Amino acid sequence: MPVCASNRAVCAQRGHLLCRCNAVGYTADPRASSVHVTTQFEAFVSATDRVGCKIATSSNPEGLSWRLSLVAFFRSLLLEVDPLPVQGVYLGICRDNPMDINPLCCRLRVQSTSSHLAIHSLLSTQTRYILLDQTTNMGDARDLTSPSGHPPLTSPEKPVLLFMTLNASGHTAGAAQIAKHLHFNRGYKDIYFITGPRFQTLIESTGAKYIKNPFEYDVPKVQEGSTEGEAFFEGMKAVFGESIVPSYHVLRKTLEDIRVAHPEPRKILFVHEALSQGLLPYQYGCPLPKGYTSLPKTINWHTSIYTSSDPDFPPFGLGLKYDPTPENKAVWKTMHAGGKTMWKPLIEHYDQKLQELGSTKRFTDLPLDVAMTGGDVTVMATTASLEYPNVTKDPKKFRLVGGLPVRALDKNLVYPPWWEELTLNSALSDSDPAKKKVVFVTQGTIHRAYHELMIPVIQAMADREDVLVVATLGEKGEPNPLPEEETPRNVRMVDYFPYEAILPHTDVFVSNAGYGGFMHGIMNGVPMVLAGLIADKGDVCQRAARAGVAVDLGVSNPSVEQVKEGIDTVLGDEKYRQRVKEIEEENVKADSLGQIESIIEELLSHE
């Protein structure tokens, strides 16, 4: 029975119950060795969670290793409906096999008051269930059997995993999420992770042993009169070129230390973020670590779009439209050939660094081609709808596994003082005239030139009483770039805050098309307005527009009028939200974490 149906906003503010019921009428699935513990279910909306539920178990059978299978049946779970028409729920303590359940799509946050378990996941309309462990607050909807068809690795057989990423958020966060899942949910107990010191706390929270890469970088400031192309190559040299030598040394020592700690026949698998540069020297004949006759099997984890000098695709970094007519492909081929001249100073810089390390092969290739082809398998966290056709010409080498699941929020996250206003607005019915559209804008975490996009968005929406603008500055401690008297009343600003907290309350996401932010928009089902050209951003914009999930403004520094038109277009045409929801579901169904584990099993089964 609803207890606070009269005032939904107050209920949401105070975390009051909107519905209470007892789950009844469910029996054990005869195909599953399980014991069902059925008790009271409570659904509520709180100030920090769109939907929540509590389950208090009456007993905890012993000897089941705290592995729980939780399945919630929801006929409808729409915040606009009051009260929530929840029909029932049950909690099963599952010993072996999954139960054949078909839950409807919903966002779910679950807490068990008796065992302190929590999960934040997206259930699809496919047959799925959720596995939880007492030691983690993350879970995934996937099968206990190996998705690859190979026998699942038992605990003694599981390999040592070594991760290595560039010291940057967009290159590290996804790999950390994978490591945490494999450690806590899948029993990979020996995980090592090499990255920069700013991520030590994050890495240690995954259960991995943190290894410091001493390389630190500063993206060079754009010199007056420099073109975006010149700035791009200077940045590539300072970040990726200069990281080659220190990354080689720390990776070599770590591999030697791992082999001492875990002698043969214990297997090792290397997850190498494609631009972390640790693998590159070995591709060009630099000496192997002591104790190795070859490198361990390697997954090349790529955190951006597909890049290649293949003339079937437009050249990287120009934001060209994908239109593979014979005429365009001939132009692309010519541009690829000419582009190698532009890349020549960076190629020579790479070659110099590799020779310092004792390479036996000269570096004459395009750096991004090499980054895409390292290791045994290149894995990209996307699906075919977000890429150009035929990027996986070699399906054994290139795998599109889908976007990573939305991460659970840190239970210690400190919310900005205006957060309650945002969540109360989100709890209102779409038909309520008091509900405002939420425009979330960010300039990213690296190229934080607020005058290019953030300020034009704020100015474009300044007079809109029906719009709330949320802006993140991308760096902790960053001050408001606008004087207080010039900040419109409908703007809510914070220095640094996780996208996954804001996006569930967002109607339009405006960004400079960084790939990580773009995939956050996809995995939260939020349509976008994108404005970016430098590095991969123009190409991300093209893919987003082609997929129908975003308006591409075609520039890095749009005018106020361009921004306003883009936002109004997305808000005024439901096709953008419908399309991004379709692609969100496609990515969720792809089961990226499950596919990654199956690739691990596949690689090791072929050793």
Side-chain angles (χ1 to χ4, degrees):
M1 296 291 293
V3 297
C4 291
S6 61
N7 191 331
R8 187 177 198 83
V10 172
C11 294
Q13 178 180 356
R14 298 177 182 174
H16 288 173
L17 297 178
L18 294 178
C19 174
R20 177 183 293 136
C21 64
N22 290 323
V24 295
Y26 295 106
T27 58
D29 188 326
R31 292 166 293 176
S33 176
S34 62
V35 178
H36 289 184
V37 182
T38 306
T39 55
Q40 190 179 72
F41 167 73
E42 298 176 344
F44 63 94
V45 177
S46 74
T48 57
D49 293 301
R50 287 167 59 174
V51 178
C53 62
K54 291 182 179 179
I55 297 173
T57 59
S58 58
S59 63
N60 288 305
E62 297 180 359
L64 300 180
S65 301
W66 291 98
R67 184 168 292 282
L68 307 181
S69 174
L70 175 66
V71 183
F73 279 75
F74 295 90
R75 297 296 176 89
S76 175
L77 198 52
L78 303 176
L79 290 178
E80 296 81 59
V81 179
D82 195 2
L84 299 178
V86 180
Q87 300 300 314
V89 66
Y90 70 80
L91 177 66
I93 309 297
C94 184
R95 288 191 177 92
D96 294 308
N97 300 323
M99 287 166 280
D100 189 10
I101 309 298
N102 185 16
L104 297 179
C105 182
C106 65
R107 291 194 181 277
L108 184 67
R109 181 172 175 83
V110 177
Q111 285 187 317
S112 168
T113 56
S114 59
S115 54
H116 308 293
L117 304 179
I119 186 172
H120 183 274
S121 181
L122 181 67
L123 302 181
S124 78
T125 55
Q126 289 185 325
T127 297
R128 295 212 174 182
Y129 60 97
I130 299 173
L131 298 179
L132 295 173
D133 287 303
Q134 188 181 20
T135 53
T136 182
N137 66 352
M138 296 180 67
D140 68 300
R142 56 164 307 200
D143 200 295
L144 281 173
T145 59
S146 167
S148 68
H150 301 288
L153 298 171
T154 61
S155 293
E157 295 176 321
K158 289 187 185 294
V160 176
L161 299 182
L162 171 60
F163 287 76
M164 185 173 191
T165 66
L166 181 73
N167 184 23
S169 180
H171 296 255
T172 300
Q177 184 179 358
I178 296 167
K180 185 172 186 176
H181 163 74
L182 291 173
H183 179 76
F184 287 119
N185 294 347
R186 306 303 296 165
Y188 289 74
K189 299 306 180 187
D190 297 309
I191 302 181
Y192 298 77
F193 204 118
I194 304 170
T195 192
R198 74 179 80 173
F199 298 107
Q200 180 173 352
T201 301
L202 171 65
I203 300 311
E204 289 174 346
S205 74
T206 70
K209 180 179 179 181
Y210 169 72
I211 307 293
K212 179 182 177 181
N213 185 342
F215 174 72
E216 292 278 7
Y217 66 87
D218 288 312
V219 178
K221 292 184 178 180
V222 178
Q223 299 298 316
E224 187 174 348
S226 297
T227 65
E228 284 191 341
E230 291 169 337
F232 168 72
F233 284 110
E234 283 301 310
M236 289 285 289
K237 180 178 178 180
V239 177
F240 303 114
E242 291 300 317
S243 70
I244 293 173
V245 172
S247 296
Y248 169 77
H249 287 305
V250 70
L251 174 59
R252 181 174 180 175
K253 183 179 186 305
T254 301
L255 284 170
E256 291 173 351
D257 291 345
I258 289 175
R259 182 48 77 206
V260 171
H262 304 280
E264 292 188 286
R266 185 75 183 277
K267 294 181 179 181
I268 301 169
L269 185 127
F270 183 27
V271 181
H272 172 264
E273 186 268 308
L275 291 174
S276 64
Q277 305 296 63
L279 184 62
L280 179 66
Y282 296 112
Q283 294 174 263
Y284 288 82
C286 291
L288 289 167
K290 296 175 183 177
Y292 294 82
T293 57
S294 63
L295 282 182
K297 292 290 186 180
T298 300
I299 292 174
N300 192 42
W301 171 247
H302 185 56
T303 59
S304 184
I305 59 168
Y306 177 81
T307 60
S308 173
S309 55
D310 185 334
D312 284 346
F313 303 98
F316 171 83
L318 300 177
L320 298 178
K321 183 178 180 180
Y322 180 77
D323 184 14
T325 63
E327 295 78 12
N328 281 344
K329 291 170 76 170
V331 171
W332 295 346
K333 184 176 182 179
T334 302
M335 294 177 73
H336 279 300
K340 197 161 186 178
T341 302
M342 296 176 60
W343 285 84
K344 185 177 179 180
L346 186 63
I347 291 171
E348 291 175 345
H349 184 70
Y350 272 43
D351 185 54
Q352 175 191 339
K353 295 297 180 181
L354 292 172
Q355 287 187 65
E356 291 177 17
L357 297 172
S359 63
T360 59
K361 178 184 174 183
R362 300 300 295 267
F363 188 91
T364 59
D365 304 299
L366 287 172
L368 294 180
D369 279 1
V370 177
M372 283 298 303
T373 56
D376 298 281
V377 176
T378 294
V379 172
M380 299 171 60
T382 189
T383 53
S385 295
L386 298 173
E387 263 297 347
Y388 295 152
N390 300 319
V391 298
T392 54
K393 291 181 179 179
D394 182 355
K396 289 187 177 180
K397 177 66 178 178
F398 295 99
R399 313 286 180 91
L400 308 184
V401 300
L404 293 175
V406 176
R407 291 189 295 264
L409 297 177
D410 185 343
K411 63 182 180 181
N412 297 316
L413 182 64
V414 177
Y415 292 84
W418 44 261
W419 187 253
E420 186 177 280
E421 177 186 7
L422 182 65
T423 56
L424 292 179
N425 181 75
S426 184
L428 294 174
S429 168
D430 286 342
S431 61
D432 191 327
K435 187 169 186 176
K436 297 182 179 183
K437 296 295 185 181
V438 175
V439 176
F440 171 33
V441 59
T442 180
Q443 198 76 47
T445 57
I446 295 179
H447 188 68
R448 302 190 308 278
Y450 305 120
H451 67 279
E452 289 189 353
L453 181 60
M454 181 177 292
I455 292 177
V457 169
I458 290 172
Q459 293 172 340
M461 297 291 107
D463 297 328
R464 293 285 296 270
E465 296 291 337
D466 62 330
V467 169
L468 193 64
V469 177
V470 176
T472 60
L473 301 177
E475 181 72 20
K476 290 183 178 179
E478 191 80 0
N480 185 341
L482 288 173
E484 186 175 348
E485 63 273 12
E486 295 181 22
T487 303
R489 292 186 304 169
N490 66 343
V491 173
R492 306 294 177 264
M493 195 171 293
V494 62
D495 54 358
Y496 185 88
F497 206 66
Y499 294 174
E500 51 263 44
I502 299 172
L503 283 168
H505 308 285
T506 298
D507 295 288
V508 182
F509 181 29
V510 187
S511 87
N512 65 349
Y515 196 77
F518 168 64
M519 286 307 298
H520 273 290
I522 293 295
M523 298 310 294
N524 282 275
V526 180
M528 290 165 268
V529 173
L530 302 177
L533 290 178
I534 196 169
D536 61 352
K537 293 177 173 57
D539 299 314
V540 172
C541 289
Q542 285 292 329
R543 284 162 170 79
R546 184 175 181 273
V549 299
V551 168
D552 172 19
L553 297 183
V555 294
S556 293
N557 188 7
S559 67
V560 171
E561 290 73 22
Q562 286 174 305
V563 167
K564 183 179 184 299
E565 182 179 355
I567 293 173
D568 286 344
T569 297
V570 173
L571 287 176
D573 195 333
E574 188 62 22
K575 72 178 183 181
Y576 291 99
R577 181 166 292 278
Q578 291 174 351
R579 182 58 177 153
V580 78
K581 289 294 185 183
E582 292 171 0
I583 296 184
E584 176 194 16
E585 182 178 358
E586 174 184 286
N587 277 264
V588 170
K589 287 181 177 179
D591 185 17
S592 56
L593 294 175
Q595 286 202 60
I596 289 167
E597 187 178 7
S598 76
I599 292 169
I600 293 173
E601 295 165 0
E602 174 189 330
L603 291 177
L604 295 180
S605 71
H606 293 160
E607 277 198 333

